Amino acid sequence: MLIPQVPGAGEHGTGGAPGKIIAVHLNYPSRVAQRGRTPEQPGYFLKPATSLAVSGAPVERPAGCELLAFEGEIALVIGRLTRRVTPEEGWAAVSHVTAANDLGVYDLRHADKGSNLRSKGGDGFTPLGPVFLPAEGLDPAGLRLRTWVNGELVQDDTTADLLFPFGRLVADLSQLITLEPGDVILTGTPAGSSVVSPGDVVEVEVDAPDAPGAPTTGRLVTPITGGAVPLAAWGAGPRVDDLQRAEAWGSAEAAGLVPAAAPADAPADAPAAFTLTPELIARINSVGTATLSSQLRKRGLNNVSIDGLRSTRPEARLVGRARTLRYIPNREDLFESHGGGYNAQKRAFDGLGPGDVLVMEARGERGTGTVGDILALRAQVRGAAGLVTDGGVRDLVAVSALDIPTYHAGGHPAVLGRRHVPWDVDVTVACGGTSVQPGDVIVGDADGLLVIPPHLVEEVVTAGIEQEREETFIAAMVAAGEGVDGLYPMNAAWRARYLEARDA
């Protein structure tokens, strides 16, 4: 890994690795609003010098991790020995500014106890550059920070209204710590930080658009690659939950954990975000899956059934929001990098919440298990509503004894590596011949499983309730001896009699 030559660092101050990299937690109002907490004073953490990287150097997302997040930042370089200065004097101690990317793996935050050492201290996790702008003549409140992911602008903010201006950061740190030439201070990130994946490219630029010549650092380029060596069992492995997903992605909405809120400029009568309330669940449960299926067909949706599966609890009704897990065909090298440790399968089950239905894409492959008794029990303890897989189930007798219904293609004693690699979570998957997206409503009983797009649930259920009222009336008339001609379906005369009986 190439280390950027930080001005003033090194044994003779001619450039090299800094002695200290100090990062600020929260500083931009936009990020504070996103996080929902406002610090009274600045907070910091340290990053090792080995985390530095130059522009263009790839950064590896550790194998088995899913939540590598970028944070575009402005880096300050200390230009002289600094101890116990005032905020008014702090900016004068800065020799250069440049672009930085404070990368971090949220999968490892649980192991850090607040230090951020493993989650943010990995090799290459602090790219700097490419140009270091002399601080002299720059207005510290007149800098602009922008970040792009795959060419799309995702962060755009200025230093005009920071919670803790640069001079104050230098002064605060210098109360207890001697700042030395070449030391680097990362000054926080604005809103827009999010998760990146192998194949993505992150670019960060700092400029002073109103300064003479509009000086710029140029774009700091960081390609993201996927690690092939899993974390060993003698150290903390990846672990994520919904809180970490929400913080890594920037919000619960961005992470797909809750429906996106209506935009701020939406009209006052805009429909509210979809929520599967207890009242709505009760209404769904009052309608048979066959009725819901017919209402979906009337709306042009014929391919919304998950076919070919059986339930461990055919007498139990299943209603919940979809969470998803995708298995890919086994390939030995991919299973070695993704099959062990805290893999996607374990993360998916650990991330389930009340009312969730985990839908697993197993390509209809019945020649191995996709879930066993321990993970099914974990889903039940987490409050999940059900499990759905178009693959096999291990420990089928034990799984069938649980309260949670599991829809499956059959039992099989083998483990994942025979046919599958657990690959990713909460993506669109194919299961039982249909597509399922996170947040879809899953409804199942002895007749089968349906996938209902959230925006259609209310409409389909309301129409389904009316359809079943009609069919109850028709059944009563047939039981009373009426013929079905003109009654099923109802002609105008029978419909008039039905409406009269309904409204009586």
Side-chain angles (χ1 to χ4, degrees), residues 17 37 46 174 214 248 259 263 293 313 321 340 351 406 419-420 495:
R37 56 183 185 269
L46 288 169
S174 75
S293 177
R313 296 284 311 282
R321 299 295 297 275
T406 298
R419 291 284 188 265
H420 302 304
R495 180 160 297 280

Side-chain angles (χ1 to χ4, degrees), residues 99-460:
N101 192 341
D102 182 18
L103 290 150
V105 180
Y106 282 69
D107 309 60
L108 298 176
R109 290 178 88 188
H110 72 97
D112 282 336
K113 309 302 182 187
S115 73
N116 285 344
L117 178 61
R118 278 165 286 195
S119 60
K120 282 182 170 280
D123 287 356
F125 277 27
T126 316
L128 295 180
V131 175
F132 290 78
L133 300 177
E136 186 177 0
L138 292 179
D139 177 3
L143 300 178
R144 178 174 61 173
L145 170 66
R146 292 181 291 174
T147 305
W148 296 261
V149 175
N150 301 328
E152 179 183 354
L153 184 66
V154 293
Q155 290 183 299
D156 187 355
D157 213 329
T158 73
T159 55
D161 56 356
L162 295 178
L163 270 67
F164 311 115
F166 295 156
R168 178 174 173 180
L169 296 177
V170 174
D172 182 31
L173 289 166
S174 75
Q175 293 184 88
L176 296 171
I177 301 169
T178 297
L179 300 176
E180 301 170 302
D183 284 351
V184 171
I185 301 173
L186 306 181
T187 57
T189 194
S193 164
S194 191
V195 173
V196 285
S197 302
D200 290 337
V201 177
V202 185
E203 300 173 278
V204 184
E205 180 184 19
V206 174
D207 66 350
D210 298 327
T216 175
T217 63
R219 293 196 185 186
L220 171 67
V221 180
T222 304
I224 308 301
T225 63
V229 180
L231 297 174
W234 54 78
R239 183 190 304 166
V240 296
D241 55 25
D242 285 351
L243 173 61
Q244 298 308 324
R245 288 191 178 92
E247 295 220 332
W249 282 95
S251 69
E253 290 86 357
L257 302 174
V258 298
D265 57 353
D269 59 351
F274 175 81
T275 302
L276 193 58
T277 63
E279 294 77 15
L280 181 53
I281 291 174
R283 295 180 67 222
I284 294 172
N285 279 331
S286 73
V287 183
T289 54
T291 301
L292 294 173
S293 177
S294 67
Q295 289 297 328
L296 288 166
R297 285 198 306 274
K298 289 179 180 179
R299 289 155 180 81
L301 292 176
N302 293 299
N303 298 304
V304 287
S305 61
I306 300 177
D307 297 333
L309 308 185
R310 69 199 74 167
S311 175
T312 59
R313 296 284 311 282
E315 78 286 357
R317 187 70 183 273
L318 171 63
V319 178
R321 299 295 297 275
R323 301 285 298 277
T324 62
L325 167 62
R326 183 166 72 101
Y327 295 106
I328 64 171
N330 183 42
R331 203 177 83 185
E332 289 76 4
D333 59 326
L334 295 179
F335 190 84
E336 183 178 354
S337 62
H338 289 75
Y342 196 60
N343 59 32
Q345 181 198 50
K346 294 176 182 176
R347 297 197 303 271
F349 279 85
D350 267 353
L352 292 175
D356 287 342
V357 177
L358 182 60
V359 180
M360 293 170 264
E361 175 185 333
R363 311 173 312 283
E365 172 57 67
R366 298 172 55 189
T368 192
T370 56
V371 60
D373 58 342
I374 298 298
L375 290 179
L377 177 60
R378 177 62 172 158
Q380 178 171 296
V381 170
R382 295 282 294 174
L387 303 173
V388 178
T389 175
D390 61 355
V393 171
R394 295 184 71 212
D395 314 305
L396 183 55
V397 171
V399 172
S400 299
L402 296 173
D403 292 332
I404 186 172
T406 298
Y407 288 76
H408 61 95
H412 200 282
V415 295
L416 286 181
R418 185 169 188 263
R419 291 284 188 265
H420 302 304
V421 181
W423 197 250
D424 48 14
V425 298
D426 289 331
V427 295
T428 300
V429 298
C431 184
T434 194
S435 300
V436 181
Q437 294 190 302
D440 283 343
V441 174
I442 307 297
V443 179
D445 59 17
D447 281 344
L449 286 159
L450 291 174
V451 181
I452 307 179
H455 69 279
L456 285 178
V457 171
E458 184 64 42
E459 176 184 340
V460 166

